[in-house]
Amino acid sequence: MTAEDTAFIAIDVQNDFCPGGALAVADGDSVVPVINDLMAAYPVKVLTQDWHPADHFSFAANTEGAAPFSLVEAPYGPQVLWPTHCVQGSNGAAFHKDLDTDAADLILRKGYRSAIDSYSAFFENDHVTPTGLEGYLRSRGVTKLVMAGLATDFCVRFSAVDAAKLGFEVTVIGAGCRAIDMDGSLAQARQDMLDHGVVIAD
Ligand code: VGL
Ligand code: ZN
C-alpha cells in the first residue's frame, strides 16, 4: 500500500444508535473499541454523522398517523419512516462518548435536507445527490476503503455498495458493525454487498 491509499470510514457511531438511544441497535456500543483500534491503523480517517433537521420527512412523527418502521413511497422510491433520531445538535446526534473523534481527519454529515434521507455516505437516497465524500477521498489519493459502524443493514450497506459502484475496493469489518435487522434486512444487506464485490471480513 502506498502511503495514503486506504481510508477507514466509521459510519454513524452516535448515541441514538446505541443502547438507550432513539433508534437503538442491539449491542451498538460494542463497536466503539473495535472502531477506535481500526481508526488508529489507517492513514485516512473519516467519521460520518447522521444529522437531521427536526422536521425531517423520514421521521414517522412528522406524518400524521404513521407508525415508526412503516414504509412510504418517496419521490425516489420506498422509504422507511423512523423514530425521530439524530436531530441536529441533540445529544442523540452526538458521537458515542468513547469514540476517538479527535483522531478523525474528516467528519461528514448527511441527512440534513428535510425532504430527502441519506443512508449512504456518498449519495443521498435519490442515489444521485452527492455528499462530496467521493471528491474528498479521490483528491487525497484514496482507492481502498475499510468500513464499520451502525447500522450494518442501512447506512453501512448503502455506503459500502455506493463506494464499490464508484470503483473503490471496499472491505466491511463485521466485528465493527451491528444491525437493526427488520424484516430480513440484514440478510438482504449482506447479499447486496457481496453482489457488488464488497469483501465482508468477519
Ligand atoms: C440509519 C436509519 C436511519 C443508519 C440512519 O445509520 O443506519 N438508519 N438513519
Ligand atoms: Zn437517519
Side-chain angles (χ1 to χ4, degrees):
M1 121 175 153
T2 59
E4 296 212 338
D5 69 350
T6 306
F8 176 67
I9 306 181
I11 306 287
D12 300 0
V13 185
Q14 294 167 256
N15 290 329
D16 270 342
F17 300 120
C18 290
L23 181 42
V25 177
D27 205 26
D29 53 343
S30 68
V31 305
V32 173
V34 179
I35 284 178
N36 285 342
D37 286 351
L38 285 164
M39 204 165 14
Y42 292 94
V44 178
K45 309 162 204 288
V46 177
L47 303 177
T48 69
Q49 190 171 27
D50 211 39
W51 194 251
H52 300 305
D55 67 351
H56 202 266
F57 98 102
S58 80
F59 296 164
N62 292 331
T63 297
E64 214 179 292
F69 305 103
S70 60
L71 267 181
V72 290
E73 203 56 39
Y76 50 77
Q79 166 73 46
V80 179
L81 293 183
W82 300 106
T84 299
H85 65 279
C86 297
V87 173
Q88 296 172 357
S90 68
N91 181 60
F95 290 110
H96 187 283
K97 65 174 173 38
D98 297 328
L99 184 69
D100 186 10
T101 57
D102 287 351
D105 300 339
L106 174 74
I107 294 174
L108 181 105
R109 289 173 171 165
K110 61 185 180 60
Y112 47 74
R113 291 186 177 93
S114 296
I116 183 166
D117 206 358
S118 188
Y119 296 152
S120 164
F122 293 90
F123 294 99
E124 301 195 14
N125 283 10
D126 60 1
H127 303 295
V128 292
T129 306
T131 63
L133 182 57
E134 179 193 3
Y136 176 85
L137 294 171
R138 289 211 199 282
S139 64
R140 288 197 59 182
V142 170
T143 57
K144 300 173 195 162
L145 302 177
V146 177
M147 293 186 194
L150 307 171
T152 321
D153 39 348
F154 288 91
C155 291
V156 175
R157 169 195 179 176
F158 287 98
S159 297
V161 167
D162 278 350
K165 285 183 184 165
L166 289 169
F168 292 97
E169 229 178 84
V170 186
T171 302
V172 168
I173 308 293
C177 297
R178 291 295 183 277
I180 294 172
D181 202 13
M182 52 182 282
D183 304 325
S185 57
L186 177 57
Q188 233 180 354
R190 292 182 70 93
Q191 196 56 54
D192 190 30
M193 290 192 278
L194 293 173
D195 288 347
H196 286 87
V198 173
V199 173
I200 302 176
D202 279 316

